[in-house]
Amino acid sequence: MSQAEQDPPRTNTAFAPGGAGPKTLLGPAPEMTGADALRGNDVVNRQDEVLGSIKEIMLDVDSGRVGYAVVSYGGFLGMGEKLFAVPWQALTRDSKHKRLILDLDKDRLKGAPGFDNSRWPDMADRTWVNAIHTYYGIQPYSD
């Protein structure tokens, strides 16, 4: 019997679109998931306050790393929402509740450098990268 026949396919219970429950075979293990499966999941702080939801996952295609989670805060149907690029290293996965945790006070997020959907920053600009990482207290990864 082959290894594939011995080991049943794993179910990814980490996240699912819109937090709707487990999604099968998104990756080889619960530690792996498709970026689309994270979209719409809540981001909360340590006080269990909802800070927003994941709008987009930004990949550094040259290094193969996840650079940022773009968190959407406020607004209604995309109107008036503010977006924040949060360094991926600043987030902790909460698989049990299908969400991400950002150790940041809600008022601090409101004051974070943000942008709107029609004017995204140049996320490759080193000055921007350093400012965002400094704000969240995260060391930028080096190439």
Side-chain angles (χ1 to χ4, degrees):
M1 184 182 295
S2 73
Q3 187 66 33
E5 292 170 318
Q6 292 175 18
D7 295 333
R10 294 186 187 189
T11 300
N12 184 331
T13 57
F15 300 99
K23 187 165 183 171
T24 305
L25 301 177
L26 285 176
E31 296 79 20
M32 298 288 289
T33 192
D36 195 49
L38 298 171
R39 292 175 72 180
N41 280 262
D42 284 340
V43 176
V44 300
N45 61 17
R46 300 270 178 216
Q47 293 74 38
D48 210 30
E49 298 173 305
V50 176
L51 300 177
S53 63
I54 300 294
K55 182 174 182 86
E56 193 64 71
I57 301 296
M58 303 306 295
L59 306 174
D60 181 334
V61 294
D62 290 334
S63 71
R65 295 179 177 162
V66 176
Y68 304 94
V70 176
V71 176
S72 172
Y73 174 81
F76 181 72
L77 299 175
M79 301 288 290
E81 74 180 342
K82 187 171 180 183
L83 303 176
F84 303 94
V86 177
W88 188 250
Q89 307 94 309
L91 297 163
T92 305
R93 181 175 57 132
D94 178 358
S95 297
K96 181 178 178 182
H97 298 102
K98 299 178 184 78
R99 62 189 186 177
L100 294 164
I101 298 170
L102 176 60
D103 192 11
L104 195 71
D105 181 79
K106 199 171 199 172
D107 288 331
R108 180 122 169 98
L109 180 67
K110 288 178 187 177
F115 54 100
D116 63 45
N117 202 35
S118 64
R119 298 193 60 165
W120 285 56
D122 176 359
M123 294 182 181
D125 177 65
R126 294 308 300 171
T127 301
W128 181 88
V129 168
N130 289 333
I132 292 298
H133 281 80
T134 298
Y135 190 87
Y136 290 100
I138 301 294
Q139 184 73 22
Y141 60 81
S142 58
D143 297 319

